């Protein structure tokens, strides 16, 4: 149980295009999903917290107009990188917290999406 | 000062060795503590939660010292498959319980 999928697993695009990444909780409901970014040899950095049915909460320094998040259902959140540039190339990982998962706060991670912007 | 600090390593140990990783965190109000493992180019996977009384899961033992704001992970009888980056993670004290990640400690277990 507690499987999170991401699609696509990797994408290569030209500078200026927009890329949408999907994060799905396959066997549980997730009112909260998280989007992270990880650059090589660096730690995971939280970009935003995505709440079902409401606006995402962005971390300081993350442009909400550039990284559009939509969490329209209890099992799906999407991250759209708009007008991507080479500096946006990174490993994007989502995680989801089980709606009924209790107080221990475990997050289940998707396999990540590797974005390369040429 | 970083919120969660770890020695990045790398730690190179022979198979069968015992290895210990340490982690310190800056926010005394942090509530939950975890060790994750991340293989190269993969997502992190939860290795174990860390409880105040210390806890063990097979060859892995985690300890928490709230007074010193220090967390440790001990791996006994290390296997080649233990080679990975080990990430120390704490949750903040707010309602959203965000995960705060250390940079990770790289472990290479050699035959």
């Amino acid at each position: 149980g507690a499987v999170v999928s991401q699609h696509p697993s990797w994408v290569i695009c030209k500078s200026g295009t927009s890329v949408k990444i999907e994060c799905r909780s396959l066997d549980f409901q997730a009112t909260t999903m998280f989007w992270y970014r990880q650059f090589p040899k660096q730690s995971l950095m939280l970009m935003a917290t995505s709440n079902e049915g409401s606006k995402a909460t962005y971390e300081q320094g993350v442009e909400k107009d550039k990284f559009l998040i939509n969490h329209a259902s209890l099992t799906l959140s999407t991250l759209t990188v708009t007008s991507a540039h080479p500096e946006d190339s990174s490993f994007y990982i989502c995680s989801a917290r089980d709606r009924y998962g209790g107080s221990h706060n475990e997050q289940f991670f998707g396999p990540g999406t590797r974005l390369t912007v040429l | 000062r970083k919120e969660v600090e770890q020695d990045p390593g790398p730690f190179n140990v022979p198979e069968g060795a015992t290895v210990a990783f340490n982690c310190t965190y800056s926010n005394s109000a942090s509530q939950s503590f975890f060790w994750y493992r991340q293989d190269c180019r993969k997502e992190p996977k939860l290795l174990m939660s860390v409880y105040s009384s210390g806890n063990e899961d097979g060859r892995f033992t985690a300890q928490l010292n709230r007074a010193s704001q220090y967390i440790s992970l001990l791996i006994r009888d290390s296997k080649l498959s233990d080679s990975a980056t080990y990430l120390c993670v704490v949750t903040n004290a707010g309602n959203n319980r965000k995960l705060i990640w250390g940079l990770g400690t790289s472990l290479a277990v050699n035959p």
Side-chain angles (χ1 to χ4, degrees), chain A residues 34-53:
Chain A
F34 302 88
W35 286 98
Y36 295 87
R37 180 167 55 179
Q38 186 177 32
F39 293 107
K41 297 190 186 301
Q42 293 192 21
S43 186
L44 273 74
M45 295 298 297
L46 180 65
M47 299 175 67
T49 302
S50 169
N51 299 297
E52 187 264 338

Side-chain angles (χ1 to χ4, degrees), chain B residues 28-92:
Chain B
S28 60
S30 297
Q31 295 185 335
S32 301
F33 308 89
F34 308 92
W35 283 102
Y36 277 77
R37 159 194 180 131
Q38 187 174 25
D39 293 288
C40 188
R41 301 174 79 85
K42 299 281 190 181
E43 77 279 19
K45 293 186 188 293
L46 179 65
L47 180 64
M48 58 196 304
S49 303
V50 187
Y51 302 112
S52 297
S53 55
N55 48 300
E56 188 174 306
D57 182 1
R59 297 181 293 109
F60 299 86
T61 301
Q63 299 265 335
L64 167 64
N65 185 323
R66 282 189 185 269
S68 302
Q69 295 176 209
Y70 169 97
I71 307 159
S72 66
L73 176 68
L74 183 78
I75 305 176
R76 289 183 299 279
D77 187 24
S78 52
K79 312 289 184 192
L80 296 177
S81 56
D82 294 333
S83 299
T85 297
Y86 290 83
L87 299 158
C88 176
V89 184
V90 307
T91 59
N92 67 356

